[in-house]
């Protein structure tokens, strides 16, 4: 039995902690804030409650596996999961809209044909078939195995783009999200649909590899799930599972550095100077040089966490407007609606150029959950847009925050007519609040890892060149989002328990 120190109490870190405790290790989690969950937060005010991080769960099998492997109670006995159906509604700039069913390929095809014209559904279905091929090719090394030393096998895009033959010119294949939209999907509304998936994960459609097709494929194949009480209820369940397995949590304990002894990680030093010895250290937060002064965590040629153009280092944040509304939620309201702008290129140029988008893509979330509102005569609605992080934009500017909140409310009127007249209170959250709560520089949110683009959209491997120091959570392989973070915890626990030869679940 070894003593293990875990830095941070995010979903990936807690997933690793629970698995390690079940394996017989003594695990202590050191969290800089006063609570658990990392980016999975909850804001409550006046009887209204809102998720402040992820709001839907994809690939719930990740957490089902965690609960099966760490105790007798399965996930569904600890939280209530329900499929969100319809999965989403999309409102386009030309006034057309489409509502897509949850986890139904034929239903999606039919809905797209009816809303956008014959052939639209067929093109989207063929695109998802190719995305399924990419999933089969990359699933294990991208999601289920620790990042291999020869990670370059993931540098090639697994998406099988059709060849575009041109008279007297070389043939072409779509290599980015934007090219897939223009060349394969053809209809600008279908292109906007794919762009919206990429942008919602913080990926620039102009540069993100075509393998981002895995994102709509996973959602439309495995479904979108809502946790009653919000995603915070899932974080609470994972935290309680850790406690039941004798994981110790120390809140308000910022780790100043990782202690090194004889060339390996040997514990942590807290900000107050206290040193806690450990045989292994799991870093569940964004890596920063100060944690290991004078140490290089990755060799030349390794996947690193250093920012790169268009890369996976997490260059975007989230702008939220939490709306407390008078008036009941209509029975036919859709849980998630995306309002797409007329000029997606201008939005991308602004967001990834460090500016405000005049016309952003706005996600409108309207959960049918009594715990989010004081009574049936009110409704809690969240508006979200992907934005540049703090630093590129000064998100402490009160006037700017208010103006941009108005922009989101005006845009959301296309999904919720009469929205502004119903507002009782609006709470604004920007990358500044994200940075304060998670410690991520600029309030950046890490995207999931993608294959292709020469490896530029991969994350740092779970192992480092410092023996005994491992990485879990969204800033490490296989990237951001609740499901991916949970996978990282599985990989880290496997590497500690089984050693470097661990290759993931078979």
């Amino acid at each position: 039995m070894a003593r293990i120190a875990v830095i941070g109490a995010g979903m990936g870190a807690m997933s690793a902690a629970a698995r390690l405790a079940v394996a017989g290790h003594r695990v202590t989690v050191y969290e800089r804030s006063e609570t658990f969950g990392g980016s999975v937060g909850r804001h409550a005010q006046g009887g209204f409650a809102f998720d402040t991080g992820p709001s839907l769960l994809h690939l719930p099998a990740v957490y089902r596996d965690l609960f099966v492997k760490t105790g007798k109670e399965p996930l569904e006995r600890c939280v209530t999961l329900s499929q969100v159906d319809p999965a989403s509604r999309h409102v386009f700039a030309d006034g057309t809209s489409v509502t897509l069913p949850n986890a139904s390929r034929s239903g999606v095809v039919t809905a797209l044909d009816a809303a956008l014209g014959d052939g639209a559904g067929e093109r989207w279905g063929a695109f998802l078939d190719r995305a399924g091929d990419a999933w089969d090719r990359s699933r294990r090394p991208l999601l289920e195995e620790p990042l291999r030393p020869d990670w370059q096998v993931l540098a090639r895009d697994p998406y099988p783009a059709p060849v575009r033959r041109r008279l007297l010119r070389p043939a072409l294949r779509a290599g980015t999200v934007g090219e897939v939209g223009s060349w394969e999907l053809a209809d600008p509304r279908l292109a906007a649909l794919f762009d919206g998936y990429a942008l919602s994960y913080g990926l620039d459609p102009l540069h993100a590899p075509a393998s981002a097709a895995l994102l709509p494929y996973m959602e439309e194949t495995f479904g979108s799930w809502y946790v009653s009480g919000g995603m915070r209820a899932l974080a609470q369940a994972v935290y309680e599972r850790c406690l039941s397995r004798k994981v110790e949590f120390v809140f308000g304990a910022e780790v100043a550095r990782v202690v090194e002894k004889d060339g390996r990680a040997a514990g942590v030093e807290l900000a107050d100077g206290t040193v806690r010895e450990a045989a292994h250290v799991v870093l569940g937060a964004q890596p920063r040089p100060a944690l290991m002064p004078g140490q290089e965590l990755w060799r030349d040629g390794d996947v690193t966490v250093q920012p790169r153009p268009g890369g996976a280092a997490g260059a975007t944040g989230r702008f939220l407007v939490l709306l407390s509304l008078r008036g009941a939620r209509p029975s036919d309201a859709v849980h998630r609606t995306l309002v797409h702008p007329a000029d997606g290129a201008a939005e991308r140029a602004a967001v990834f150029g460090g500016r405000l988008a005049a016309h952003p893509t706005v996600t409108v979330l309207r959960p049918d959950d009594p715990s989010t509102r004081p009574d049936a005569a009110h409704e809690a609605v969240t508006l979200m847009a992907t934005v540049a992080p703090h630093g590129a934009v000064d998100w402490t500017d009160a006037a700017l925050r208010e103006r941009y909140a108005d922009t989101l409310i005006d845009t959301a009127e296309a999904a919720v007519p009469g929205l502004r007249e119903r507002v009782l209170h609006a709470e604004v959250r920007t990358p500044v609040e994200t940075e304060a709560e998670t410690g991520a520089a600029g309030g950046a949110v890490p995207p999931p890892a993608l294959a292709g683009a020469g490896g530029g959209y991969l994350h740092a491997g779970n192992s480092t060149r410092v023996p005994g120091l491992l990485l879990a959570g969204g800033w490490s392989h296989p990237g951001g989002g609740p499901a991916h973070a949970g996978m990282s915890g599985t990989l880290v626990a496997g590497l500690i328990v089984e050693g470097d030869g661990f290759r993931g679940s078979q």
Side-chain angles (χ1 to χ4, degrees):
M1 180 175 67
R3 182 178 292 277
I4 297 174
V6 177
I7 303 173
M11 298 298 281
M14 290 197 296
S15 295
R19 290 178 182 273
L20 289 167
V22 167
H25 297 291
R26 297 175 61 189
V27 184
T28 302
V29 177
Y30 299 93
E31 168 57 46
R32 61 187 286 275
S33 73
E34 297 298 332
T35 189
F36 54 85
S39 64
V40 181
R42 190 81 162 164
H43 175 79
Q45 179 176 346
F48 295 89
F50 309 84
D51 284 323
T52 58
S55 59
L56 292 174
L57 180 64
H58 302 108
L59 296 177
V62 173
Y63 287 94
R64 289 184 177 125
D65 181 73
L66 171 67
F67 277 72
V68 167
K69 298 291 177 57
T70 60
K72 297 179 180 179
E73 279 191 306
L75 175 64
E76 273 81 359
R77 287 189 186 175
C78 301
V79 297
T80 301
L81 289 176
S82 57
Q83 290 201 57
V84 175
D85 200 7
S88 59
R89 178 174 177 243
H90 297 264
V91 179
F92 302 103
D94 66 355
T96 59
S97 66
V98 61
T99 299
L100 303 179
N102 191 30
S104 171
R105 177 75 62 84
S106 62
V108 168
V109 168
T110 299
L112 288 171
D113 277 339
L116 307 185
D118 290 344
E122 181 180 358
R123 288 195 300 276
W124 185 261
F127 159 68
L128 286 183
D129 286 340
R130 293 189 289 274
D133 289 343
W135 169 264
D136 292 337
R137 295 176 182 183
S138 61
R139 174 177 56 87
R140 279 198 60 79
L142 186 65
L143 300 177
E144 298 177 354
E145 297 178 348
L147 193 63
R148 296 160 50 169
D150 60 339
W151 57 266
Q152 290 84 353
V153 299
L154 290 170
R156 184 175 180 179
D157 198 320
Y159 179 77
V163 176
R164 296 182 72 240
R165 304 201 179 278
R166 304 183 299 168
L167 184 64
L168 302 179
R169 289 186 292 175
L172 292 176
R173 293 178 185 269
T176 67
V177 170
E179 289 172 349
V180 170
S182 296
W183 301 350
E184 298 179 21
L185 298 176
D187 189 313
R189 295 165 297 185
L190 290 180
L193 186 62
F194 189 20
D195 282 1
Y197 276 104
L199 192 63
S200 67
Y201 285 97
L203 297 164
D204 182 356
L206 185 63
H207 297 103
S211 65
L214 267 63
L215 303 175
Y217 174 81
M218 286 190 293
E219 288 197 21
E220 295 194 14
T221 301
F222 305 108
S224 298
W225 299 75
Y226 180 73
V227 182
S228 295
M231 286 292 287
R232 183 67 179 176
L234 178 61
Q236 177 78 38
V238 176
Y239 171 66
E240 291 177 354
R241 177 55 53 91
C242 285
L243 293 179
S244 70
R245 296 299 167 259
K246 309 303 181 186
V247 174
E248 179 185 0
F249 285 80
V250 183
F251 294 108
E254 183 168 3
V255 173
R257 69 182 183 94
V258 175
V259 176
E260 180 191 2
K261 183 178 181 181
D262 299 329
R264 65 172 289 121
V268 297
E269 180 181 338
L270 304 182
D272 64 5
T274 303
V275 173
R276 302 297 186 191
E277 295 182 353
H280 297 275
V281 176
V282 176
L283 175 57
Q286 186 180 31
R288 60 185 190 275
L291 284 174
M292 290 290 290
Q295 285 288 341
E296 295 181 13
L297 300 186
W298 297 273
R299 299 179 179 87
D300 290 343
D302 286 350
V303 177
T304 76
V305 292
Q306 301 305 313
R308 63 187 73 195
T316 64
R318 303 290 182 268
F319 185 96
L320 302 178
V321 185
L322 313 178
L323 297 175
S324 302
L325 304 182
R326 63 172 63 87
R329 179 186 187 273
S331 59
D332 60 350
V334 176
H335 185 113
R336 178 178 54 166
T337 299
L338 274 74
V339 182
H340 300 272
D343 190 349
E347 178 186 20
R348 296 191 297 271
V351 171
F352 296 95
R355 306 186 305 277
L356 288 180
H359 301 287
T361 300
V362 176
T363 299
V364 182
L365 299 169
R366 308 179 73 181
D368 186 12
D369 184 348
S371 73
T372 65
R373 53 188 183 257
D375 53 51
H378 295 84
E379 183 182 7
V381 170
T382 298
L383 311 181
M384 189 276 286
T386 298
V387 296
H390 181 57
V393 173
D394 181 10
W395 289 114
T396 63
D397 185 330
L400 181 149
R401 292 162 63 105
E402 184 176 351
R403 287 198 307 272
Y404 212 59
D406 283 340
T407 296
L408 265 64
I409 293 172
D410 289 342
T411 303
E413 289 269 358
V416 188
L419 175 63
R420 186 175 292 278
E421 287 70 30
R422 296 177 58 196
V423 175
L424 293 170
H425 179 77
E427 181 76 18
V428 174
R429 294 178 60 88
T430 76
V432 166
E433 285 74 31
T434 303
E435 182 175 25
E437 293 179 2
T438 68
V445 179
L450 297 175
Y457 287 77
L458 299 175
H459 289 263
N462 307 105
S463 299
T464 71
R465 73 178 301 179
V466 180
L469 176 62
L470 298 98
L471 306 184
W475 295 104
S476 64
H477 178 74
H484 289 69
M487 293 176 196
S488 77
T490 302
L491 298 177
V492 164
L495 287 166
I496 292 176
V497 173
E498 299 185 27
D500 291 338
F502 174 71
R503 298 313 308 163
S505 301
Q506 300 298 321

